[in-house]
Every structure is written in structure tokens, then in C-alpha cells.
Amino acid sequence: MTPADLSLTVLHAVRRAVDDGALRVDVPPRVKVERARPGGTGEYASSVALTLARPAGRSALDVAGVLKERLQGAPGILAVDITGPGFLNFTLRRDAAGDLVRVIGAAGASYGHGSALAGTVVRFADVTESRARVVTDVVVRLLRSQGADAGFGGDERIPVRPGDHLPGTLGVDAARWSLLRAAPQDRALDGPPLLVQHERNSLFRVRYAHARVRRLLVNGAQLGVRPEYETETGYEAGYEAAYETDLHAPGLLGVLGDHPVVLLTAARHRAPDRVARHLEATADALLAFQHTVLPLGDEKPSAAHRSRLALAEAAGTVLAGGLSLLGISAPDQI
């Protein structure tokens, strides 16, 4: 992770804290990071918490604590420490992609699910309007994914079955995306453009990105490239492969690492559109990364290709899991 990557990671943490209501400040255009000074810990440090303390009306230590919570476990960061009056100090890791791939692989489609809302009970009244039914259905799924006890009235029934109360000409997937992708205060997306297989169609991009991952896995198998990180202690080639993957995919690593926070924030704010927008960002990052995954021309398969394919597979898992929460299918071919 470069200083520029770290700066963006901290800036994203500030933005998430503001979106989540934990901080009430204007998000700065940039965050400065610099080499840790004597007395600090790790490689880099930032004084962003001191800068935000006054406009937030809180102590710098409080602000630093809020940001630390959102930076723990971020790709490329091994540890976050608070020193002095509120400096954030960062210890970086080399194999960020490998750690993230292993976490996603172990969790599967449940990556990002958690227990942050355990003990929270939410009951929704039954609704009849089409968009409200679909949105409420997904909000219940999101709340349950974070450990909440969510349902409808006194029972556990889900009031939306596939195809219920959706515009018939679009099909279930496009109809649900049209109702969920727009923010609650905005009107639903126009339906017909969602049926066109073009990059301007956000639903197509997300589903196409998932299909591309499935094709990369098939093509990789044909070339003898399997998705695997090889970073055991002492295996230098594996470390170099992982390090090279980190350099090639900072954007993809960032959005995959953000996925758990996005799901939690969407659940807290009852905002499925945040999940849809995050899936778009994940798809765009994956499509930009895909060309580096497999050998080209006379290039021989290597540990780097196996590592990149493993990262692409992880992105496909996140796309499929996110679409499933929205009640939308993730086809293997488009």
C-alpha cells in the first residue's frame, strides 16, 4: 500500500463515518498521511482526527476512535493505533490481497454478514405499494444479515415473492433493480434501459462482471491456472506474487474490503440503494482489473496469475452475495 492508497483509505473511513452519522462534519477533499515521527508507532501517521475535532464538536481522541473502528481490518492495514492527543498511526501489511481473499473464501456469500445489530428488534407493518414492498423485503434481509431480529408484524413471513407486484414487462431482476437502485427519495429508474446489454446499464455491468469471473475461472482451468494464494513463510515467489497483485488492484481491494461496512450501513439506514451502488463500484473495479488476471500471449502461468485469479474469484463471490441480498440473480453467463 502506497501513501496515496493509505490516504484514500483514511478518506473513505471519514466518508463512511459521516454517512453512518457517527461524525457530523464536511468530508475533506483529501487526507494527509506522513511517515510516523519518533514516539509514534507503525510506518505512517495522520492528524486528520485533530483537524476534524473542532467542526465535529468532539475531542480528537473521540474522532480518532470513530475512525479507528472503520479502519481496523482494511486491506493493506495490519494495525491502527492512537497516540498523543489523537494521531492515527498505521502499521501496514504486505499481503493485503491474500488476507482478504482468505476471509471472503471462508465466508462465501455470507461475507459482510455479522452480529453488530444483534439484540435489535425491528417489525414492519405490511405494505401494499409495489416499491415499498420490495424495499422493505430487502431491508429485512439486510437487518437479518447483521444479526437483527427483523420481520413483519407478529410473524416471520416475507411479503414479497419473486415476481410479486413488479412491472411485468421487465422481468424480476430488472424490475427489482429499478426499484432498489434509486435512493428512497428519488423516483425508480426507467425500466427499458435496464433491458439493454450495454455498459450504460448498471445492472448489466454488475451481472456481466460476475459472469466474467466465472469465465476467467474456466479459462484459467484450461491454462492450468488455479485461484490460489501462495504466501507460506519462506515461499518468496508467493510473497512477490501477492505483493504484485496488491499493486495491480488497489481499487478492487478497497471496494471488497468496504463490503462489510456497506452492508451494515445499508441496514442501519434502511437503504438498499447503498448496496446496489457498492455492487456497481465492485463491478467497475473488477472489469478494470480483469485484463491482468490470466497470461497473455506467450506469457507463462505464474504465482502472480494464481493470486490475481483468486482475487477475481473473491470479487465474484461478493457480487453474487450482494445481488442475492437484493433478490436478484447472478448468472454465470450473459
Side-chain angles (χ1 to χ4, degrees):
M1 173 177 278
T2 67
D5 294 332
L6 179 58
S7 175
L8 286 175
T9 299
V10 179
L11 182 61
H12 289 161
V14 174
R15 185 172 292 116
R16 290 197 301 271
V18 171
D19 289 344
D20 204 18
L23 290 177
R24 297 184 179 277
V25 295
D26 292 332
V27 178
R30 64 186 63 84
V31 169
K32 182 180 179 181
V33 297
E34 57 187 0
R35 284 287 182 182
R37 298 176 181 178
T41 61
E43 294 91 12
Y44 292 94
S46 174
S47 60
V48 62
L50 284 78
T51 303
L52 297 177
R54 182 182 293 274
R58 301 172 64 173
S59 73
L61 287 173
D62 283 345
V63 174
V66 169
L67 297 180
K68 178 180 178 178
E69 179 183 350
R70 286 153 180 79
L71 287 163
Q72 296 276 33
I77 297 178
L78 179 64
V80 182
D81 295 294
I82 301 173
T83 60
F87 289 100
L88 288 167
N89 288 71
F90 304 96
T91 302
L92 304 184
R93 67 171 80 242
R94 191 175 188 186
D95 183 21
D99 288 345
L100 186 58
V101 165
R102 284 184 281 274
V103 169
I104 295 174
S110 296
Y111 171 63
H113 295 206
S115 57
L117 300 183
T120 301
V121 178
V122 182
R123 290 290 179 266
F124 294 95
D126 198 3
V127 291
T128 57
E129 192 271 329
S130 298
R131 186 177 184 184
R133 288 170 69 89
V134 172
V135 170
T136 305
D137 168 47
V138 176
V139 167
V140 167
R141 298 181 191 208
L142 288 168
L143 287 166
R144 289 177 175 175
S145 78
Q146 304 305 311
D149 176 3
F152 300 86
D155 58 37
E156 289 300 311
R157 67 190 176 88
I158 300 294
V160 179
R161 299 184 301 275
D164 277 358
H165 299 270
L166 299 175
T169 58
L170 293 182
V172 173
D173 290 332
R176 289 182 75 93
W177 186 267
S178 74
L179 299 175
L180 294 167
R181 170 57 180 83
Q185 67 273 16
D186 298 331
R187 68 181 183 87
L189 300 184
D190 291 335
L194 296 176
L195 300 178
V196 179
Q197 295 192 2
H198 192 279
E199 62 182 10
R200 289 193 299 270
N201 176 353
S202 57
L203 175 60
F204 171 74
R205 289 204 315 279
V206 172
R207 299 172 86 209
Y208 175 70
H210 176 266
R212 281 297 300 143
V213 170
R214 305 313 302 171
R215 175 48 52 184
L216 285 170
L217 290 168
V218 171
N219 292 345
Q222 294 170 344
L223 294 172
V225 179
R226 64 186 183 279
E228 184 177 12
Y229 265 83
E230 302 174 359
T231 55
E232 290 85 0
T233 301
Y235 191 8
E236 188 62 27
Y239 279 115
E240 291 302 321
Y243 182 59
E244 185 180 344
T245 298
D246 288 2
L247 292 178
H248 276 84
L252 185 56
L253 286 171
V255 291
L256 295 181
D258 283 349
H259 189 67
V261 175
V262 170
L263 295 188
L264 177 57
T265 302
R268 282 176 169 164
H269 290 272
R270 319 294 197 254
D273 61 292
R274 297 188 182 213
V275 178
R277 283 186 276 118
H278 181 69
L279 293 179
E280 287 181 36
T282 303
D284 291 343
L286 182 280
L287 293 173
F289 171 68
Q290 62 168 325
H291 306 292
T292 72
V293 173
L294 296 179
L296 298 175
D298 296 331
E299 190 179 8
K300 294 182 179 180
S302 67
H305 296 116
R306 291 191 288 273
S307 294
R308 294 175 201 159
L309 186 58
L311 181 59
E313 183 181 42
T317 298
V318 169
L319 290 169
L323 286 171
S324 177
L325 278 173
L326 299 180
I328 296 173
S329 66
D332 288 350
Q333 293 183 329
I334 290 185

